[in-house]
Amino acid sequence: MSDTLVIGMQELCEVVDLPAAFVIEIVEHGILEPQGRRPDEWRFDSASLSVAKRAVKLHHELQLEWDGVALALNLLEELERARAENRMLRQRLGRFLD
């Protein structure tokens, strides 16, 4: 974890408005990767908090099961990487066209 914000399981549950059982399920699906061995020891950084919020939004708004949320998040991450690479390549190409 590289971010400075670190919160525990209870705080995460409160911030994303999920019961602990759902957070455990999210971790089991690989959506979140906390530090610590057991749920009462888990610590989450701000990136995890952002992912959790996004996962909850997908779960509620699209009524996806957690495995579908995991897949959707992976696809969105791939799309973001492809867009970033596209921007970088356009910038490089722009240097040759100017």
Side-chain angles (χ1 to χ4, degrees):
M1 292 187 188
S2 60
D3 294 340
T4 55
L5 173 68
V6 178
I7 62 173
M9 173 74 136
Q10 183 63 36
E11 292 170 301
L12 181 77
C13 290
E14 291 171 11
V15 171
V16 298
D17 195 27
L18 277 182
F22 279 4
V23 175
I24 292 169
E25 200 172 338
I26 289 172
V27 170
E28 288 173 351
H29 280 92
I31 296 170
L32 296 178
E33 296 179 7
Q35 294 290 331
R37 292 179 183 221
R38 299 184 326 260
D40 62 331
E41 297 175 348
W42 285 350
R43 299 291 175 258
F44 301 89
D45 61 14
S46 58
S48 295
L49 183 59
S50 177
V51 169
K53 286 179 180 179
R54 199 171 193 186
V56 169
K57 186 175 180 178
L58 287 169
H59 178 71
H60 288 306
E61 289 183 3
L62 300 179
Q63 298 179 350
L64 294 174
E65 295 297 324
W66 293 118
D67 55 348
V69 170
L71 176 61
L73 287 172
N74 285 337
L75 292 172
L76 288 169
E77 187 177 312
E78 273 187 49
L79 179 61
E80 288 170 10
R81 276 195 303 264
R83 285 180 174 163
E85 183 179 353
N86 189 20
R87 278 190 302 274
M88 179 196 64
L89 292 171
R90 284 178 181 266
Q91 287 175 349
R92 286 184 180 174
L93 181 61
R95 283 185 266 167
F96 293 108
L97 297 178
D98 286 340

